[in-house]
Amino acid sequence: MNETLLAIPSLPQQQWQDMELGMFFHFGMNTFCDQEWGKGDDSPELFNPAAFNALEWVRTAKKAGFAYVILTAKHHDGFCLWPTKTTDYSVKSSPWKNGQGDVVREVADACAQEGLRFGLYLSPWDNHEPCYPDKEAYDNFYAEQLTELLTQYGPLVEVWFDGAGSHGREYDWRRIIGLVRQYQPDAMVFNMGIPTIRWVGNEDGVAPYPCWNTAESAKLSMYTNDMATWLPETPRWVPAECDVPIRANRWFWHPDDEHTLRSLDNLIDIYYRSVGHGCNLLLNLSPDNRGRLAEVDVNRLYEFMDEIKRRFSNPIARTEGEGDTVLLSLDEESDVNHVILMEVIAHGERVREYVLEAEQEGQWVELVKGSAIGHKKIDKFETIRTKQLRLRVTSSVDEALIRSFEAYNS
Ligand code: FUL
């Protein structure tokens, strides 16, 4: 097959894939009601995060090594975290800052200040809005909300369209995507309409292997077996994002919920099976009803990312190359137990099968057999002592272009 037949990522898609780590913040009316899916009838009086501190959220993400942040501007309950003109069901009807506050603004500004990219989640399903049953009226309402967000809080790196609750419902995706393209042309579109990135298909934060960057269709939501139906203009390159809450199965903060905090081992496993399978990891933290992050969550996050940095900050050796065989020579004989491979995805995902080998007493010993490399593949194996490693691409579409081949002793 010729390169022109290969799917190729756009430049914004490449930049998005290079970020690898995003932090999701689920915050809103549910935070004050000990619930995950509000019915849209909770009083705005309840929303009052007295110690709200967006800078703390964003600095925490940054310190952990995350490159982008996604905030739930509106969840399924319809309560808006910005003072929208479209409804009174928002921060402006709450006691917080006497109705003068704007959570979206504060998080956007904190990201700009700290140099993180910012993105938004705007639930299509809206349990509060009275016009929701009227398709045309709600399409207008939703377009207006989206326009406010796209024009007032950019630049945006990603717009997250959640499929939950929308089983059987049709939205005006052409118009929605048109707005994103008009106002935030470089923002990634998550999983709906004409997506540029796709949902990995579960909320465990893990990708199957191989997880190719192309997909004909993907699941719409956890709650139906429907497949997402994308408009025909969907690009062929749609990399996956793995979303997962740090407190198992709970996206919003709940009192007395610390026992659901994921273990360090679980988070490390998630990293190997998301970033390590070439996908982005979108890890959710749930700010509490004070508007602060729980200390136990932050400590676990740092513990997790410290361990990842410990394992993967100092390669023993690194090279790049092209063709069927790429050699990696170490300065001296060393213990090796991880290899990280990356392809030059700007020219498509070319490798279909590969073998990793290590030289031992003049013989090549097989360490790993793999298929996809794509943006990244992390391979872990029994520690072996060697002075030379070899990547053999045993099947590829066009010449393999290896952006990096690194060895680690972690
Ligand atoms: C799901 C939603 O229903 C959850 O509440 C959460 O927002 C998750 C990220 O997506 O579809």
Side-chain angles (χ1 to χ4, degrees):
M1 207 199 285
N2 176 295
E3 186 187 333
T4 52
L5 298 174
L6 269 175
I8 303 287
S10 68
L11 191 58
Q13 284 178 317
Q14 290 170 47
Q15 290 164 344
W16 182 84
Q17 290 190 264
D18 270 340
M19 290 195 295
E20 295 184 353
L21 295 170
M23 186 149 288
F24 222 163
F25 288 119
H26 271 66
F27 185 65
M29 186 56 80
N30 292 332
T31 309
F32 300 84
C33 304
D34 195 5
Q35 66 196 8
E36 286 286 302
W37 279 10
K39 294 195 173 61
D41 53 4
D42 297 304
S43 166
E45 289 295 323
L46 298 169
F47 186 89
N48 197 5
F52 178 80
N53 188 342
L55 210 48
E56 177 206 50
W57 306 4
V58 171
R59 284 186 173 153
T60 300
K62 182 177 178 176
K63 188 170 161 195
F66 283 60
Y68 65 101
V69 159
I70 310 282
L71 171 68
T72 50
K74 179 186 86 169
H75 203 252
H76 311 322
D77 52 58
F79 185 77
C80 297
L81 294 186
W82 79 105
T84 174
K85 293 198 176 76
T86 59
T87 173
D88 288 337
Y89 200 51
S90 81
V91 281
K92 76 180 176 222
S93 304
S94 79
W96 181 59
K97 298 195 173 180
N98 294 318
Q100 303 297 307
D102 183 343
V103 174
V104 180
R105 167 74 52 226
E106 294 202 33
V107 180
D109 287 353
C111 285
Q113 180 181 325
E114 295 299 314
L116 268 66
R117 302 297 317 275
F118 179 56
L120 288 168
Y121 167 117
L122 182 68
S123 173
W125 178 31
D126 189 320
N127 280 329
H128 175 84
E129 177 48 37
C131 82
Y132 186 74
D134 178 340
K135 179 180 167 0
E136 199 184 323
Y138 184 75
D139 280 345
N140 290 333
F141 173 88
Y142 190 79
E144 216 175 310
Q145 292 198 326
L146 184 62
T147 303
E148 289 181 354
L149 294 172
L150 296 171
T151 56
Q152 295 169 34
Y153 301 97
L156 299 179
V157 71
E158 181 172 331
V159 190
W160 222 88
F161 295 116
D162 193 336
S166 295
H167 173 58
R169 170 81 181 220
E170 275 190 25
Y171 301 96
D172 191 348
W173 284 112
R174 232 170 258 288
R175 178 170 173 196
I176 293 168
I177 302 300
L179 291 170
V180 178
R181 288 190 175 164
Q182 180 179 353
Y183 296 116
Q184 298 292 334
D186 291 343
M188 291 296 111
V189 173
F190 177 82
N191 215 48
M192 304 290 270
I194 306 177
T196 53
I197 57 175
R198 73 183 199 268
W199 184 46
V200 76
N202 63 67
E203 293 183 338
D204 305 322
V206 299
Y209 182 76
C211 187
W212 305 103
N213 285 289
T214 49
E216 300 310 315
S217 62
K219 267 188 83 180
L220 176 68
S221 123
M222 295 279 291
Y223 308 100
T224 91
N225 285 325
D226 288 7
M227 304 305 278
T229 41
W230 295 336
L231 293 173
E233 302 93 292
T234 299
R236 290 175 58 216
W237 186 276
V238 268
E241 183 176 55
C242 305
D243 59 320
V244 61
I246 199 164
R247 294 197 182 187
N249 307 321
R250 311 268 252 177
W251 295 92
F252 287 91
W253 178 81
H254 299 266
D256 309 318
D257 196 29
E258 276 93 5
H259 62 280
T260 63
L261 185 59
R262 289 179 190 275
S263 68
L264 178 60
D265 283 350
N266 185 193
L267 290 169
I268 291 170
D269 178 58
I270 285 171
Y271 184 88
Y272 277 86
R273 292 159 71 192
S274 55
V275 175
H277 289 180
C279 303
N280 278 26
L281 171 61
L282 183 63
L283 178 64
N284 184 76
L285 262 68
S286 323
D288 65 16
N289 57 356
R290 301 165 307 156
R292 305 294 299 268
L293 297 175
E295 209 179 320
V296 283
D297 296 25
V298 173
N299 289 341
R300 180 56 45 82
L301 173 73
Y302 289 160
E303 211 184 340
F304 163 43
M305 289 312 294
D306 283 351
E307 178 56 21
I308 296 300
K309 287 173 204 158
R310 188 192 70 71
R311 292 189 189 191
F312 301 128
S313 294
N314 296 303
I316 304 169
R318 181 187 180 282
T319 191
E320 55 199 41
E322 48 199 53
D324 292 348
T325 308
V326 182
L327 283 178
L328 178 60
S329 302
L330 317 188
D331 289 343
E332 56 192 48
E333 207 176 45
S334 312
D335 286 343
V336 179
N337 49 27
H338 285 84
V339 160
I340 301 187
L341 297 168
M342 295 174 88
E343 272 187 88
V344 181
I345 57 170
H347 296 284
E349 194 164 36
R350 295 178 169 198
V351 175
R352 293 291 184 266
E353 280 171 17
Y354 69 88
V355 181
L356 268 178
E357 297 162 325
E359 194 188 348
Q360 275 199 322
E361 293 158 12
Q363 303 281 325
W364 286 107
V365 179
E366 184 175 305
L367 302 173
V368 174
K369 256 199 173 88
S371 51
I373 297 177
H375 170 70
K376 182 171 273 189
K377 174 74 192 303
I378 301 180
D379 281 317
K380 184 180 183 190
F381 40 85
E382 285 291 306
T383 301
I384 188 162
R385 212 166 163 75
T386 185
K387 206 173 177 287
Q388 188 158 234
L389 294 154
R390 180 164 85 173
L391 168 68
R392 274 197 305 116
V393 177
T394 47
S395 168
S396 70
V397 180
D398 215 320
E399 186 180 41
L401 302 174
I402 303 303
R403 173 176 166 182
S404 104
F405 175 5
E406 296 177 335
Y408 293 84
N409 176 21
S410 302

